[in-house]
Amino acid sequence: MQSSFFGLNVATQGLFTARTWLDITNHNITNAQTPGYSRQFGVQSACRPLPNNGIGMMGTGSEILKISQYRNKYLDTKFWSNSSHLGEYTVKNSQTSSIETILNEIKDTGISKQFDDMFDSLQKLSTDPSNESYKINFIDMAKSFSRFFNDIGDKMRSFQREANFSIKTKVDQINYCANQLATLNEQIENVEFSGAEANDLRDKRALIVDELSHIINVKVDERVDVNGKKTFSVLANGQKLVEGTKVNLLETKSREHLNNPEDEPGLYDIYWANGNKFDMTDPELEGELKGYIDMRDGNNGNNFKGVINSLTAASNIITVSNVNRADLPDKGEIKIDGVVYKYDSFTYDKGNNEVTFTLASNAPAGAKNVSMGEDLKYKGISYYTERLNNFVRTVAEKFNEIHRGGNNGTGGPLFTFKDYNPGDVVDYSKMTIDNFQFSSEIASDIDKLLTSSDPTSGESDNDIIKRMLDLKHDNDMFKTGEPGNYIQALIGELGIDKSQAASFEKGQVDLNLMINNQRLSYSGVDLNEETTNIIKFQQAYVISAQMIRVFDEIYDVTINRMGAN
Amino acid sequence: MRITNNMVANNILLSLNRSKYAYSIYETQLATGKKIQKPSDDPIVAVRALKFRTSVREVEQYKSNAKDAISWMTVTENSISNIIEIVKKARDLSVQASNDPLGIGERESIITSLKQLKDQLANEGNVDYAGRHVFTGYKTDQPLTFTEAVSGKNYKIKEKFNSDDVETIEKIIDDTPNPRVINVDRIRLGYSNIKDGVTTNIGSLNVVTMDSNTTNAYEPAEGTVNFLKDTGELIFNSKDKADGDISGSIEFEYNKDEFEKNDINPIHYFECTDYNNVDYKNQRDNISYQVSYNQSVPINSLGKDLVTVDLMRDLEEMINEVGKVSKDGSKYDDLLKDSLGDKFNQLIGKIDKHKNGLLKQEADLGTRINRMDLTINRLEDDKVNFTDLMSQNEDIDVAEVIMKMKSQEMVYNAALMSSTKIIQTTLLDFIR
């Protein structure tokens, strides 16, 4: 014989189930626009049936076992690995765009324009070298040519400082994310210890990983040990950042020495909290952080390199041959066969192309390869600054060589730099776009601007001016040919880099959208679906209530009317 | 596949954004008239744009140089034709004066005119273009001839000759009472009235300095050269000349510190050292303007080819010759007078030679002006070509961009419309 109230209980179960579903639906609807939210559902099942004499098992209604969520780990992983690509190229796109704006070429104020202006004024001067206003005009144009570069230098420097600051900000963000992840891990562990699913907390955690994966490439792992304890860990570029409730944070420290000679002093290096250096040049690194590092430090492999010919005994004086450049900081750090050494001074022998360093400590016998800074194959601020330095140095040297021939070989340099002492030999390795300037001596005394090599040949002799004019078409000045070509090649390079970054970014955006849509397709809340659920479970609720009324009537009949007879 | 509300929203946002972006690109293109705004828009177009701009600017500058050159050469051309006119007048006067029956009075009035012509010639040599003397090579600040008398400023002048420059002239010697006509071998220096003696590299001959009125001034003994400092002549013994004692390159160095107005300035004509010890090398200065990449065109003509030392000295000598006639009726005077006709005849010959030289210079300049005209035409063409290429490279086709913009606008509107339709309604709108 079954219980008198059996049906009423089943109907009540129905009410509970429908009510729980309506609550879940409600939650889904209110969170439809919550970032990172994945829709939840009840795991519904029939209650344990009771054996009924003779006719088999009698159903006892339904129940919600637990509330779970739609979340696809595979899509998450895909999203995270793509997100760091997107972060990197978003930064690179916007940053190269800034360099483009700084150089401002093809608008009316670029280097080419300044260079052409200067040569125009030189052409004018060549037609009447005795004309003082033409001379002044040329000097003005040459001054504005040099100032234009100073201005670029200024902007490049502040641009590099900004990139440097961004690196610090990104490191702080990584730390912030790591701490949040650890906190969430703790909360989730506590909740799930009892076997429930911490759906909303998990969503929050995944959202933070979303954010983190934009900054740096991450690898996420959730291990379950034999006791069922789950440990959520995050590797940032292959190194442990978060493991359960433990974090391994990053920090930034200012460099003591320049990596690239054109760098701002005191740029940040990144270290792990345990003191290990974070490898900023790791080719595996991705994300916004990588974007800023590449922009700040990228030298396209133009860092100082050379080879020690023979070092038979340990010595603190080493001579490095086959060097690719000699515009080094007065003192700094070099790497000898991968080991860092400080040097106090150096000299350059142009004839043999050798640099001799005086080290603070002895280099071992047999040492071979010497380098400074990192070989970072990206065309960043360092690279473009170095290219522009090279341009002004070469142009200045050529102009000065010719002008020196003026007035029986007594001409002073036309282009110098800020700390240049009149009379000194111009050390072009000290000349940069920051300090490059038109000779103040000549600017203040235009008679020192020489137009001919022979002072007695007459005021209209312009052999010096003509030779300077020829520089414009001097095909041997640069590897890429005449100076105009050099700038054009540089601008072309920059344009290609920028449009490449832009198209990478666009591709990544598309890919990101696709993956995100896949995620949304799986996890997102659909209002039509929720509306359907409302209707479904409202009906279920109404019908269950109806059931109760039915049983109520049954009891009324059974208890009141039958007993009243 | 489930399509959720946020997916739809994301897609709509992205496509609206892209559509707006494409629209804004066309908008900027129309506003600027340029295909690209920054190098990355199209690096190839950008690099070519830079090249073309530089080319156009260069062509413009070359054109301005060429125009400047033509102005300069036109001034020069006018002046040369003036010089030719002056020389022609001098010839006409000489033809008149060579007429034998002419009396000394008439010849003297002709000489007055010749003097004026000589001064005109000197003035013409000082023509300037925008304040720069056109005939003086690089020394455009120094006039070709002295514009006022100079005294006490010494120039050490070096002149070079060779044995062919020794000319034979007739000279009337006032050997009272029997003046006679002799042939004299001489070299004439660039100036008369020279300060002291002369140094020379002819070692074998002894140079004696004197004035032209010294006895035997025109008849040096064998082995001697008479240097007549007042007339600036070096007289050789005919036997020495025949013996070949005067051969190869002959150099004379002398000082002169008195110049009259309209005298030629030695720094433009001779190797010399001025009173400030500045050396002048007597080079053929070549002022040239760049009118194209790798092409320079010489624009100047040199005064020493136009107002030549010889021409000035010939005129001076003729003037002196007529001035020597003292009208005292002596035999010497008669002889002088008689010889004037011949002298003028000789002058005609010399002037003709000068004139030919000048015509050659004029023709040469004419050719250069022509060439410059052609160059300007070509530069004009180049400019059109480059500007055209530049425009093709970087300028938009307005009609095309407007069309593209319009169709982009339509796409954008359609996207807006469809998206409002999609996200406005849910199932809820259709319940009950």
Side-chain angles (χ1 to χ4, degrees), chain B residues 373-408:
Chain B
D373 276 331
L374 289 177
T375 306
I376 286 189
N377 284 344
R378 206 205 57 229
L379 288 171
E380 210 82 71
D381 287 350
D382 280 359
K383 196 188 159 191
V384 171
N385 285 342
F386 281 131
T387 316
D388 210 35
L389 284 171
M390 187 165 83
S391 166
Q392 270 177 32
N393 181 52
E394 61 184 70
D395 290 352
I396 53 159
D397 178 345
V398 176
E400 190 191 328
V401 173
I402 288 181
M403 238 176 61
K404 281 185 180 163
M405 193 166 92
K406 278 284 158 203
S407 66
Q408 193 58 49

Side-chain angles (χ1 to χ4, degrees), chain A residues 76 79-80 83 177 181 203-216 218-220 232 234:
Chain A
D76 281 346
F79 181 86
W80 293 330
S83 178
C177 289
L181 286 175
D203 282 344
K204 261 191 199 164
R205 185 169 69 185
L207 191 66
I208 290 168
V209 179
D210 281 3
E211 192 188 325
L212 185 64
S213 71
H214 209 59
I215 304 170
I216 192 165
V218 292
K219 215 173 215 159
V220 173
F232 184 86
V234 177

Side-chain angles (χ1 to χ4, degrees), chain B residues 275-338:
Chain B
Y275 49 91
N276 282 331
N277 255 337
V278 178
D279 289 322
Y280 297 93
K281 296 193 190 69
N282 187 27
Q283 285 161 333
R284 296 197 65 83
D285 293 347
N286 183 359
I287 297 183
S288 58
Y289 284 6
Q290 245 188 7
V291 291
S292 149
Y293 166 43
N294 259 351
Q295 192 198 341
S296 290
V297 174
I299 59 155
N300 66 326
S301 304
L302 289 175
K304 58 185 167 195
D305 297 335
L306 302 166
V307 184
T308 59
V309 183
D310 276 344
L311 182 57
M312 295 301 267
R313 289 284 276 153
D314 284 343
L315 291 176
E316 184 192 353
E317 235 176 47
M318 199 64 229
I319 291 161
N320 283 341
E321 208 61 45
V322 176
K324 267 191 216 156
V325 180
S326 60
K327 285 182 263 181
D328 60 0
S330 67
K331 244 181 171 179
Y332 171 61
D333 249 12
D334 288 346
L335 217 51
L336 276 177
K337 266 187 269 180
D338 288 348

Side-chain angles (χ1 to χ4, degrees), chain A residues 31-34 39 97 100-101 105-108 112-114 116-121 123-124 126-130 134 454 456-463 466 469-470 472-473 475 482 485 487-489 491-496 498-499 505-507 509-510 513 516-518 520-532 534-535 538, chain B residues 1-11 14-15 18 32 36-55 57-58 60-62 64-65 68 72 129-133 136-142 278-281 283 285-294 296-297 299 394 425-429 431-432:
Chain A
N31 283 302
Q33 301 303 332
T34 306
R39 72 191 155 112
S97 174
E100 222 177 5
T101 316
E105 206 62 37
I106 81 166
K107 290 277 165 57
D108 285 339
S112 308
K113 165 83 164 55
Q114 299 286 342
D116 285 351
D117 279 351
M118 187 170 76
F119 272 92
D120 271 6
S121 66
Q123 275 283 5
K124 267 244 96 52
S126 84
T127 62
D128 185 357
S130 61
Y134 287 176
D454 179 355
T456 64
S457 62
E459 58 166 20
S460 287
D461 189 0
N462 58 358
D463 61 335
K466 274 202 186 136
L469 279 176
D470 288 343
K472 192 162 187 213
H473 293 288
N475 260 318
E482 54 186 54
N485 289 354
I487 292 300
Q488 283 154 16
I491 295 303
E493 229 175 330
L494 178 61
I496 289 167
K498 157 77 174 86
S499 66
E505 190 198 352
K506 186 169 176 289
V509 165
D510 287 345
L513 181 78
N516 200 26
N517 276 346
Q518 284 177 345
L520 285 175
S521 170
Y522 189 72
S523 308
V525 176
D526 180 54
L527 290 179
N528 290 338
E529 192 177 293
E530 301 306 326
T531 314
T532 321
I534 295 173
I535 298 167
Q538 193 189 4
Chain B
M1 184 179 180
R2 290 177 77 234
I3 305 295
T4 61
N5 294 64
N6 282 343
M7 275 169 78
V8 174
N10 282 349
N11 286 339
L14 187 76
S15 58
R18 291 232 164 122
T32 58
I36 60 166
Q37 319 304 328
K38 12 185 225 326
S40 55
D41 289 346
D42 189 336
I44 293 173
V45 170
V47 168
R48 290 181 58 187
L50 291 179
K51 277 193 207 292
F52 287 138
R53 277 177 207 192
T54 302
S55 300
R57 297 225 17 204
E58 262 179 8
E60 273 171 3
Q61 190 55 51
Y62 289 145
S64 137
N65 284 0
D68 220 20
W72 172 294
Y129 169 65
R132 302 164 75 198
H133 296 285
T136 50
Y138 293 143
K139 293 180 269 297
T140 44
D141 51 342
Q142 311 261 21
V278 178
D279 289 322
Y280 297 93
K281 296 193 190 69
Q283 285 161 333
D285 293 347
N286 183 359
I287 297 183
S288 58
Y289 284 6
Q290 245 188 7
V291 291
S292 149
Y293 166 43
N294 259 351
S296 290
V297 174
I299 59 155
E394 61 184 70
T425 51
T426 64
L427 183 60
L428 217 51
D429 295 296
I431 294 175
R432 266 183 278 269

Side-chain angles (χ1 to χ4, degrees), chain B residues 328-375:
Chain B
D328 60 0
S330 67
K331 244 181 171 179
Y332 171 61
D333 249 12
D334 288 346
L335 217 51
L336 276 177
K337 266 187 269 180
D338 288 348
S339 72
L340 283 179
D342 285 348
K343 294 257 177 197
F344 272 113
N345 261 328
Q346 281 167 16
L347 185 64
I348 294 167
K350 284 180 171 175
I351 288 179
D352 280 345
K353 240 171 69 189
H354 287 307
K355 206 179 75 191
N356 285 341
L358 285 168
L359 289 174
K360 237 168 74 188
Q361 289 285 332
E362 194 186 30
D364 171 55
L365 186 65
T367 319
R368 276 188 279 157
I369 291 179
N370 267 343
R371 211 165 81 203
M372 200 56 86
D373 276 331
L374 289 177
T375 306

Side-chain angles (χ1 to χ4, degrees), chain B residues 172-199:
Chain B
I172 300 158
I173 305 294
D174 184 10
D175 262 359
T176 327
N178 293 315
R180 56 206 163 85
V181 180
I182 57 163
N183 282 336
V184 174
D185 292 322
R186 69 153 189 196
I187 281 180
R188 187 175 60 187
L189 298 177
Y191 292 95
S192 52
N193 294 328
I194 285 157
K195 195 178 168 193
D196 339 288
V198 67
T199 53

Side-chain angles (χ1 to χ4, degrees), chain A residues 106-162:
Chain A
I106 81 166
K107 290 277 165 57
D108 285 339
T109 52
I111 300 173
S112 308
K113 165 83 164 55
Q114 299 286 342
F115 198 59
D116 285 351
D117 279 351
M118 187 170 76
F119 272 92
D120 271 6
S121 66
L122 199 57
Q123 275 283 5
K124 267 244 96 52
L125 181 58
S126 84
T127 62
D128 185 357
S130 61
N131 190 322
E132 285 209 351
S133 66
Y134 287 176
K135 277 191 175 182
I136 291 170
N137 185 33
F138 166 67
I139 291 174
D140 283 348
M141 288 303 172
K143 268 187 186 166
S144 97
F145 175 70
S146 60
R147 283 201 193 120
F148 187 74
F149 277 99
N150 299 157
D151 187 44
I152 292 179
D154 261 8
K155 286 180 178 156
M156 285 294 215
R157 285 197 171 273
S158 67
F159 188 40
Q160 193 179 39
R161 283 195 296 271
E162 283 159 26

